[in-house]
Amino acid sequence: MTRKKLLAISLTALISSPTLFAADLPGKGVAVSPLQSTLPEEAFQTELINRALEKLGYEVKPTEEVDYNVAYTAIAAGDATYMAVNWEPLQNDMYDAAGGDNKFYRQGTYISGAAQGYLIDKKTADKYHITDISQLKDPKLAKLFDANGDGKADLAGCNPGWVCGQVINAQIDAYGLSQTVQQNQGNYSAIIADTLTRYKAGKPVLYFTWTPHWVSDELKPGRDVVWLTVPFSATPGSQKNEDTALANGKNYGFKANNEHVVANKAWAEKNPAAARLFAIVKLPLNDVNAQNQRMHAGESSSEDIQRHVDGWIHAHQTTFDGWVKQAAAAAK
């Protein structure tokens, strides 16, 4: 074989090698700075997208945890790239205040049908026939949920600064519950863990939650706890005139939410592969619930979460590979 033929074969092998292909990936040389909220249970859905971005060649920096309002401001300013936890319509005002569609790229729906609302333990609901939160205007019923001895029902609520906390306070006022119900705000993970402890001790519990979250796997609605309806829709801000009744006719005080990926708009326009990825990813709500339950059971370290991501990808390899393939094609 001539030297020229050997050289030709070597060049062919080099051109078809994975190393050169990796060098041509659309994300090569581009850094991504992801953000998420301070809620640990949102790490799984963020890290799954990070993994796909890495497959596209992007240099993904460690995810930073910040309050939602900080995340919107940072992404709008270009100080961060994206977050996977834009709640719509709950966070519409926060999204719009940071620049809305002029500053953000938001296409597709990552997680759909996220429910929110108030629940109490089924034992107390059945015994006292409690179905609607407005019934807690009765001081005798409210006192059943008094955990600190002040005579008011203690409602396990949201972190300070979260929109859900603002909605809860507005509804307490709107439903005439100011004298009988108190929202307890703080670290939600700690508050809901205390709620679970009270439930296991046989005490009545009243709490706000959303899906996906592990608590609904631990305390199953219909079996352990029941959703409370609200007497009428009462949402502050731009949603004040909107009806929060669900398709089944029940009104739990909150519309069903969808979660979207939001990215800096200018960055997304320069990175069509990442933009396409953000638009097509979809994650079943029940998969997040199940992963969150594993975190609650003790598998909550960064290594655990990465292992959960590995497991999800392995179980959905065709779907994951399809995301990457479609995203890469968008850059051509």
Side-chain angles (χ1 to χ4, degrees), residues 25-299:
L25 287 173
K28 179 176 172 56
V30 180
V32 174
S33 298
L35 297 179
Q36 70 172 67
S37 79
T38 56
L39 192 71
E41 287 82 1
E42 290 183 340
F44 174 69
Q45 63 208 70
T46 302
E47 292 306 315
L48 184 57
I49 291 178
N50 286 347
R51 197 69 65 82
L53 287 167
E54 289 171 348
K55 287 288 185 182
L56 290 166
Y58 289 94
E59 177 193 339
V60 181
K61 297 180 179 179
T63 303
E64 290 191 40
E65 296 182 5
V66 297
D67 290 336
Y68 287 110
N69 60 331
V70 175
Y72 284 110
T73 302
I75 293 169
D79 296 328
T81 309
Y82 89 96
M83 70 172 175
V85 289
N86 162 237
W87 288 74
E88 186 270 325
L90 184 67
Q91 296 173 348
N92 279 358
D93 289 351
M94 199 176 286
Y95 177 87
D96 291 338
D101 293 340
N102 291 325
K103 290 290 186 179
F104 299 110
Y105 171 86
R106 181 175 68 176
Q107 299 292 327
T109 299
Y110 191 21
I111 300 172
S112 60
Q116 299 177 79
Y118 309 105
L119 297 100
I120 64 172
D121 61 288
K122 191 173 188 301
K123 182 177 70 173
T124 303
D126 290 346
K127 182 176 180 179
Y128 294 95
H129 308 291
I130 302 172
T131 59
D132 192 282
I133 197 167
S134 64
Q135 291 175 256
L136 299 185
K137 282 191 294 187
D138 182 340
K140 292 180 180 178
L141 292 181
K143 195 172 183 179
L144 296 170
F145 305 96
D146 179 13
N148 60 12
D150 67 355
K152 288 187 175 184
D154 287 290
L155 191 161
C158 293
N159 285 37
W162 287 7
V163 178
C164 50
Q166 299 168 21
V167 176
I168 292 169
N169 284 334
Q171 292 181 346
I172 286 174
D173 288 341
Y175 306 146
L177 300 171
S178 299
Q179 301 303 311
T180 56
V181 177
Q182 174 68 47
Q183 176 186 190
N184 292 335
Q185 293 189 265
N187 180 283
Y188 185 80
S189 296
I191 289 173
I192 206 65
D194 180 65
T195 300
L196 180 59
T197 299
R198 286 182 55 80
Y199 175 84
K200 289 181 175 178
K203 299 176 181 178
V205 294
L206 167 67
Y207 63 97
F208 166 86
T209 198
W210 64 91
T211 58
H213 192 272
W214 62 259
V215 73
S216 294
D217 266 11
E218 187 79 23
L219 299 178
K220 291 191 178 295
R223 185 192 73 184
D224 307 309
V225 294
V226 296
W227 292 94
L228 294 182
T229 57
V230 298
F232 53 85
S233 301
T235 306
S238 63
Q239 300 175 61
K240 63 182 179 180
N241 295 320
E242 293 193 14
D243 185 4
T244 53
L246 303 180
N248 63 4
K250 297 283 189 178
N251 192 341
Y252 299 125
F254 294 80
K255 276 190 168 184
N257 272 243
N258 292 323
E259 288 186 60
H260 306 280
V261 180
V262 292
N264 177 272
K265 188 171 185 177
W267 188 92
E269 289 173 348
K270 294 177 183 177
N271 290 274
R276 181 60 178 163
L277 176 71
F278 297 155
I280 63 176
V281 289
K282 289 188 179 299
L283 185 58
L285 185 145
N286 287 339
D287 289 5
V288 184
N289 268 342
Q291 188 275 338
N292 285 181
Q293 176 63 18
R294 292 176 69 180
M295 291 179 68
H296 173 62
E299 298 178 32

